[in-house]
Amino acid sequence: MATEKELSDFLKSVERRAFKRSVYHVRDEEAALDIVQDSMMKLAEHYGDKPVNELPLLFQRILSNCTLDWFRRQKTRKALFSNLSDFENLDDDGDFDLLEHIQLSADSQESESAEDTTRRAQIFREIEEQIAALPGRQREAFLMRYWEEMDVAETAAAMGCSEGSVKTHCSRAVHALSKALKAKGISL
């Protein structure tokens, strides 16, 4: 059974990635924060007594379900109400940036030039835009497999689909990203 400290440490370890993943899905930082907080509360309330090794998969499933619930509520709200603020131009000056925490390897003693730093930032921004442009299920499978580093079985369980579907979604996402980045002259 997870102790209070183990549960707290687990939630701290997944907080930023869960937030970024939610932002990719809902494209609204405030809603993403609400989704992550709801997911964490549900995990603590309903599954806090589970063993620590079960928490990652449970949390991913809860996060996916909370995201789907948010989309359902939005669909219902939009069907009932016309909200003019939906048509305003959204400001993209959020605090988080995909791959912002990628660091140069510790053994690298060389200084990076301003040109290299700028080029790397441009590439990261382009990758982030292309990931955000993926269809929802492809983006979800891609992020779980390659960002969350979950295996196929864990991803399938978290997404509520078969392992074959996860492989298909990931393959399509990788091909779409590769094609889009190649078209922009970016080769990794």
Side-chain angles (χ1 to χ4, degrees), residues 86-117:
D86 288 346
F87 299 106
E88 293 176 2
N89 188 15
L90 297 176
D91 187 14
D92 291 334
D93 292 340
D95 292 333
F96 291 90
D97 185 16
L98 176 67
L99 305 174
E100 71 184 351
H101 297 289
I102 291 183
Q103 300 172 353
L104 294 173
S105 63
D107 58 1
S108 174
Q109 300 298 324
E110 300 174 34
S111 296
E112 188 175 41
S113 71
E115 181 181 348
D116 291 340
T117 302

Side-chain angles (χ1 to χ4, degrees), residues 21-164:
R21 178 179 156 202
S22 295
V23 168
Y24 279 131
H25 286 294
V26 300
R27 296 186 173 121
D28 178 350
E29 288 186 4
E30 290 178 18
L33 186 59
D34 289 342
I35 290 168
V36 171
Q37 288 175 342
D38 288 345
S39 300
M40 289 180 165
M41 291 298 294
K42 287 180 181 180
L43 180 73
E45 289 173 12
H46 301 290
Y47 302 103
D49 60 343
K50 296 289 185 183
V52 176
N53 62 341
E54 292 181 19
L55 295 179
L57 189 56
L58 287 169
F59 181 72
Q60 293 301 326
R61 188 66 184 162
I62 292 169
L63 185 62
S64 293
N65 288 339
C66 286
T67 304
L68 289 174
D69 290 345
W70 181 86
F71 278 113
R72 288 183 190 116
R73 284 191 302 274
Q74 292 303 307
K75 184 177 179 181
T76 301
R77 184 178 67 72
K78 287 182 182 189
L80 297 174
F81 305 103
S82 174
N83 188 348
L84 295 178
S85 66
D86 288 346
F87 299 106
E88 293 176 2
N89 188 15
L90 297 176
D91 187 14
D92 291 334
D93 292 340
D95 292 333
F96 291 90
D97 185 16
L98 176 67
L99 305 174
E100 71 184 351
H101 297 289
I102 291 183
Q103 300 172 353
L104 294 173
S105 63
D107 58 1
S108 174
Q109 300 298 324
E110 300 174 34
S111 296
E112 188 175 41
S113 71
E115 181 181 348
D116 291 340
T117 302
T118 303
R119 178 69 180 140
R120 188 166 44 92
Q122 290 170 342
I123 290 171
F124 289 160
R125 234 182 334 239
E126 189 60 43
I127 291 170
E128 183 178 39
E129 288 174 13
Q130 295 305 321
I131 290 172
L134 289 171
R137 294 294 277 182
Q138 287 180 21
R139 183 175 51 247
E140 183 178 17
F142 179 83
L143 291 173
M144 283 186 187
R145 287 282 292 127
Y146 301 112
W147 195 17
E148 299 289 339
E149 298 179 355
M150 297 171 69
D151 65 28
V152 175
E154 291 171 331
T155 304
M159 291 178 64
C161 64
S162 69
E163 291 182 20

Side-chain angles (χ1 to χ4, degrees), residues 164-182:
S165 292
V166 169
K167 291 177 185 177
T168 300
H169 290 311
C170 285
S171 175
R172 289 178 181 166
V174 168
H175 288 293
L177 289 171
S178 175
K179 183 178 177 183
L181 294 174
K182 193 174 192 178

